[in-house]
Amino acid sequence: MRYQEHWSRTLFMVSTYTLLIVLALLCLFPLVHVLAVSFSSPSAASSGQVVLWPIDATLGAYEYALGRPQFIDAFTVSLKRVVLGTVVNMVLTILVAYPLSKSSTAFPARTWYVWFFVLTMLFSGGLIPLYMVVREMQMLDSIWALVLPTALPVFNVVLLLNFFRNIPVELEEAAIIDGASHWRILWEIYLPLSKPAIATLTLFVVVFHWNSWFDGLIFMNSPANYPLQSYLQTLVQQDLFMYSTSDPRLLEQVSNRTLRAAQIFLAALPILALYPFLQRYFVKGVVLGSVKG
Amino acid sequence: MIRSEASVPATVAQTRRGFWHRRSRRINTLPFHLMIVPALILTLIFKYGPMFGLVIAFQDFVPIRGITGSEWVGFENFRFAWNFPDTMEVIANTLYISSGKIVFGLIAPIVTALLLNELRLKIVKSGVQTIIYLPHFLSWVILGGILIDLLSPSQGVIGRGMAALGFEPIYFLGDNTWFPWVLITSHVWKEFGFSTIIYLAALTSIDPTLYEAAMVDGANRWRQTWNVTLPGIRPIIVLVTTLSLGSILDAGFEQVLVLYSPQVYESGDIIDTLVYRMGLIDAQYSIATAIGLFKSVVAFILISTAYWAAYRFAQYRIF
C-alpha cells in the first residue's frame, strides 16, 4: 500500500537524503583531510592549500615516520599489548562467563561472585590508588601494567554469559551423562557454538587495547616503553617540536604538520583495516547486549 | 539486578535421587571455582586493592612512609579540597560539559535514526551507516590530533576558511567561550552515529500494523512519527537517558586531556583532569585521592540509582 506522493513529501525525502549524506561526509572529512595533509609537501601544507587532495604529493612524511626508531618501538609495544591483552581478556572472560551462566541452583556461589565482579563496575578506587597499586606490584614500565589492571572486562562477561544462556541445556546434560567434565563442555560445546559472540568481543577488545593510551602515559616512566597512541599523544600535544635531521633533502619533504598527520593516519590504519569486520560484528554486539534472557 | 532464576521444577527423578544429586552437584562446582580463580585474584589486586588504597584520602600520605607510616588527618584533605578555589569551578565545568553531551548526544542519534529509517535506497542507507559509525572506533588521540590540526587558527583548514570569508579566525581550542562547545560538538560528532544502532534496532521492532491503522485513521507522516514511532522507541530513550545520567560526572577525561591547555583550564578543566594533575604531576596524592573519592562516591550513588531506575521502569538489568 503506497502512500500518495505529495510535493511536500518529495521535498522532505530530498532534504533527508541530502542531510544524511552531508552528515556522513562530515564524519569522513577530517580523516580524508589529514590523509591529504600527510601526503602533501610541507610548503603546501603550511600555506593551507590542502583540503581534500594532496598537493605536491610526497611520501616524505611516511618515510621519515617509519624511519624513526621511536615510532617503530611504539608500534611494537602496541602490537605486543594488543596480542597479550586480547589473549588475557578473552581467556578470563570465557572462564568467568561460563560458570556465571549457570543457574544459582547448579552453582550456589554464583550470586556471590556476580556481586563481587559487578561492584567493580559501580565503584572504583580511582586513578591515584590504582597507580600506587601498580607501582607497589613493581609493574611500572612493564607491559603487564597495560594488561593486568583491565584483565577482566566485566561488561563483556555479561554479554557472553547472556549468550551462553541461550545454548540449550540439553546439550550440556547429554555431555554430563557421557561423563564429560565442565572444562570439556566449555571447550567442545560452548565455545564452538559461541563463535560469533566470541569474534565480536575479540574485536572489541582488540580495538580497546589498540586505542588505549592514558595507562601507557602514566604507567610507563620511559617514553621508550610507550605504546603507539601514548607516543602519539605526546606528539599531538606539542604544538611545535624540534626534530633534528641532518638530511636537508628530508626537511623539504617533511614538516611537523605533515609528519604528525602521517603518524595519526598510521595509528588509525589498523582500525580502518579491521573496520569491515568491526562493522559486521559490532551491530551484533550491541544487539547481543540488549537481548537479556 | 541479579537475574532471578527461572523456576527449576523438581522432577520426579530429581526428588528420588535427591541425595546423589546434591552430592554430585557439590563436587561439580569445583571446576567452576577454578575457572573463576585467576580473574578473582586479578580483580582483588587491581580493583579492590585501589579501593583500600583510598584510605590515603584520610592521611597526609608521604610515599616513603607508606600507608602504615603516614599521619592520619581525618577529613582535612576534603576540607582543603572543598575550600580550594578551583574545585567549584571544576565541578561546574564538569556538569556543564557533561550535560551538554548528554542532551545533544541524545537528540542527535534519535533524529538521525528517524531520518535513516525514512530512507528507501538501501545503498545510501547502509553507506551512510557505515561512515557515521566509524569515528566511534578511533581514539581521542587520533581524533584530537586531527581536531587540533583542523582548528589551528593559522594553518588549520577551518581558520583558513574563516579568513578567506573575511572573518577573524577563532582559536577554538584556546578560547574559554568556545572550548566547552568544541568538547560537546566533537563528542557528539564521534558518538552520534554509533548511538543510532540501538534506536534503529528499536525502530525495526515496531509493529507495522500500527502504521497501517494510523494511516486508516488519516494520520499523516508527522503524526505517525509522533504517535507511533516515538512512543515505540520511548522505552529505549528512557533507558539510555537514565543510564547516561548515571555518568554525569564523567565529562570525557581522555578527550579533555588531549585537547585542553592551561589557557582553557578556566572552562575546560574537569574533575578527572584536576585529579590527574594534582596527583600524578604535582604529587599531592592525598588531596587528589580525596577529590577522586568524592567523585567515586557520588558516581556510585548515581550509577546505582540509574541502574535501579532502569530496572524499575524499563525492566533493564545488567545480569
Side-chain angles (χ1 to χ4, degrees):
Chain A
M1 95 192 255
R2 187 131 181 94
Y3 195 70
Q4 201 191 337
E5 302 279 351
H6 289 289
W7 65 268
S8 62
R9 177 82 193 141
T10 317
L11 182 69
F12 172 76
M13 285 316 286
V14 170
S15 31
T16 303
Y17 274 96
T18 319
L19 182 70
L20 286 174
I21 291 172
V22 168
L23 265 183
L25 292 179
L26 269 179
C27 287
L28 215 50
F29 169 73
L31 268 180
V32 177
H33 176 69
V34 86
L35 187 63
V37 169
S38 71
F39 280 113
S40 297
S41 72
S43 56
S46 62
S47 66
Q49 302 164 37
V50 184
V51 181
L52 289 174
W53 197 252
I55 291 174
D56 303 334
T58 166
L59 285 172
Y62 287 90
E63 275 172 33
Y64 189 74
L66 293 173
R68 300 182 94 187
Q70 296 103 304
F71 185 85
I72 301 300
D73 286 350
F75 202 91
T76 321
V77 174
S78 271
L79 277 185
K80 262 200 240 166
R81 176 197 180 147
V82 167
V83 172
L84 201 60
T86 306
V87 170
V88 169
N89 282 166
M90 288 315 295
V91 168
L92 292 185
T93 302
I94 292 167
L95 286 183
V96 172
Y98 177 72
L100 295 190
S101 70
K102 303 298 169 208
S103 69
S104 12
T105 338
F107 183 32
R110 175 188 183 274
T111 317
W112 190 87
Y113 282 122
V114 165
W115 279 108
F116 176 82
F117 290 119
V118 167
L119 189 64
T120 67
M121 286 171 90
L122 304 177
F123 189 79
S124 89
L127 178 63
I128 314 295
L130 174 65
Y131 176 79
M132 287 173 22
V133 167
V134 172
R135 196 178 55 188
E136 286 303 305
M137 302 290 293
Q138 312 285 329
M139 290 199 319
L140 293 183
D141 269 319
S142 142
I143 190 105
W144 294 106
L146 307 178
V147 171
L148 294 186
T150 50
L152 184 73
V154 179
F155 194 73
N156 290 1
V157 173
V158 176
L159 296 186
L160 190 60
L161 82 83
N162 279 316
F163 194 90
F164 279 168
R165 287 201 156 150
N166 294 330
I167 292 173
V169 206
E170 290 76 19
L171 291 175
E172 185 189 335
E173 284 167 356
I176 289 182
I177 289 168
D178 290 347
S181 69
H182 278 291
W183 296 93
R184 261 192 81 180
I185 293 171
L186 172 60
W187 185 251
E188 284 180 14
I189 297 175
Y190 277 72
L191 287 192
L193 287 174
S194 318
K195 271 184 199 150
I198 288 174
T200 309
L201 296 182
T202 307
L203 281 171
F204 281 177
V205 165
V206 167
V207 171
F208 166 81
H209 278 292
W210 181 262
N211 278 344
S212 296
W213 54 275
F214 182 67
D215 48 1
L217 198 67
I218 59 170
F219 294 142
M220 303 292 130
N221 288 327
S222 150
N225 294 322
Y226 278 176
L228 186 56
Q229 307 253 355
S230 310
Y231 159 77
L232 204 60
Q233 198 263 346
T234 58
L235 271 195
V236 159
Q237 280 253 307
Q238 290 166 317
D239 235 344
L240 291 163
F241 73 103
M242 290 301 173
Y243 55 93
S244 52
T245 165
S246 49
D247 185 353
R249 186 190 63 90
L250 212 52
L251 267 178
E252 278 167 28
Q253 291 170 24
V254 178
S255 71
N256 282 343
R257 187 159 179 234
T258 59
L259 180 59
R260 204 156 49 194
Q263 297 184 92
I264 286 173
F265 190 74
L266 286 172
L269 201 58
I271 300 289
L272 298 177
L274 272 182
Y275 192 60
F277 302 98
L278 280 173
Q279 215 228 335
R280 180 143 46 106
Y281 282 110
F282 68 66
V283 179
K284 271 186 210 160
V286 172
V287 176
L288 200 72
S290 55
V291 177
K292 307 281 168 198
Chain B
M1 213 178 291
I2 306 291
R3 186 181 189 274
S4 61
E5 276 317 311
S7 60
V8 185
T11 61
V12 181
Q14 254 178 333
T15 2
R16 201 186 308 139
R17 296 182 303 155
F19 171 75
W20 290 106
H21 244 78
R22 233 174 294 135
R23 218 188 92 154
S24 66
R25 268 199 187 130
R26 199 177 306 148
I27 295 165
N28 272 345
T29 62
L30 182 65
F32 293 160
H33 292 285
L34 287 178
M35 286 173 183
I36 292 177
V37 159
L40 184 86
I41 293 171
L42 287 168
T43 304
L44 272 177
I45 297 175
F46 292 104
K47 300 287 179 189
Y48 286 87
M51 290 185 204
F52 291 108
L54 283 169
V55 297
I56 69 166
F58 303 95
Q59 292 184 327
D60 179 15
F61 180 72
V62 183
I64 36 167
R65 293 210 203 129
I67 289 181
T68 44
S70 293
E71 198 189 329
W72 292 88
V73 295
F75 282 87
E76 196 46 49
N77 295 315
F78 293 90
R79 218 166 292 140
F80 179 85
W82 194 252
N83 295 321
F84 192 59
D86 289 356
T87 310
M88 278 304 136
E89 185 181 277
V90 161
I91 292 177
N93 289 343
T94 307
L95 293 176
Y96 183 73
I97 296 166
S98 67
S99 21
K101 286 180 176 177
I102 290 175
V103 171
F104 293 102
L106 194 69
I107 297 173
I110 294 175
V111 173
T112 314
L114 290 177
L115 292 178
L116 272 172
N117 204 38
E118 295 289 323
L119 298 192
R120 291 292 165 266
L121 283 177
K122 199 146 195 314
I123 186 160
V124 179
K125 189 176 177 182
S126 62
V128 168
Q129 282 177 285
T130 302
I131 294 171
I132 63 178
Y133 297 163
L134 177 63
H136 169 81
F137 292 95
L138 299 172
S139 71
W140 270 116
V141 169
I142 289 174
L143 294 178
I146 296 177
L147 216 56
I148 289 171
D149 184 274
L150 283 177
L151 295 178
S152 149
S154 57
Q155 293 194 323
V157 76
I158 291 180
R160 290 269 169 185
M162 292 179 79
L165 294 171
F167 293 103
E168 182 71 20
I170 298 172
Y171 187 20
F172 289 100
L173 293 175
D175 185 317
N176 279 307
T177 331
W178 287 101
F179 187 71
W181 289 98
V182 173
L183 296 177
I184 293 169
T185 314
S186 58
H187 167 84
V188 172
W189 173 79
K190 184 181 194 281
E191 301 296 342
F192 86 95
F194 194 75
S195 313
T196 58
I197 296 176
I198 191 158
Y199 298 111
L200 287 171
L203 283 172
T204 57
S205 65
I206 295 176
D207 182 0
T209 57
L210 290 176
Y211 289 103
E212 286 163 22
M215 265 188 265
V216 171
D217 291 346
N220 63 20
R221 285 274 174 168
W222 295 107
R223 285 217 68 94
Q224 286 175 38
T225 305
W226 190 252
N227 289 342
V228 179
T229 314
L230 281 178
I233 59 172
R234 191 167 52 205
I236 210 84
I237 297 177
V238 171
L239 176 65
V240 172
T241 316
T242 318
L243 294 184
S244 63
L245 286 177
S247 51
I248 196 160
L249 290 186
D250 290 312
F253 177 51
E254 298 202 338
Q255 179 197 21
V256 177
L257 200 59
V258 171
L259 292 174
Y260 82 159
S261 53
Q263 51 194 334
V264 287
Y265 281 176
E266 188 191 322
S267 67
D269 199 15
I270 57 171
I271 300 176
D272 293 323
T273 45
L274 180 73
V275 169
Y276 165 63
R277 282 202 320 278
M278 274 195 145
L280 293 184
I281 298 190
D282 303 338
Q284 301 196 43
Y285 296 107
S286 285
I287 293 170
T289 307
I291 300 176
L293 175 58
F294 166 75
K295 190 203 157 194
S296 290
V297 169
V298 177
F300 175 71
I301 297 170
L302 290 177
I303 297 172
S304 314
T305 316
Y307 275 129
W308 175 81
Y311 174 65
R312 181 85 172 65
F313 300 112
Q315 281 73 53
Y316 171 86
R317 48 197 172 194
I318 42 174
F319 272 80

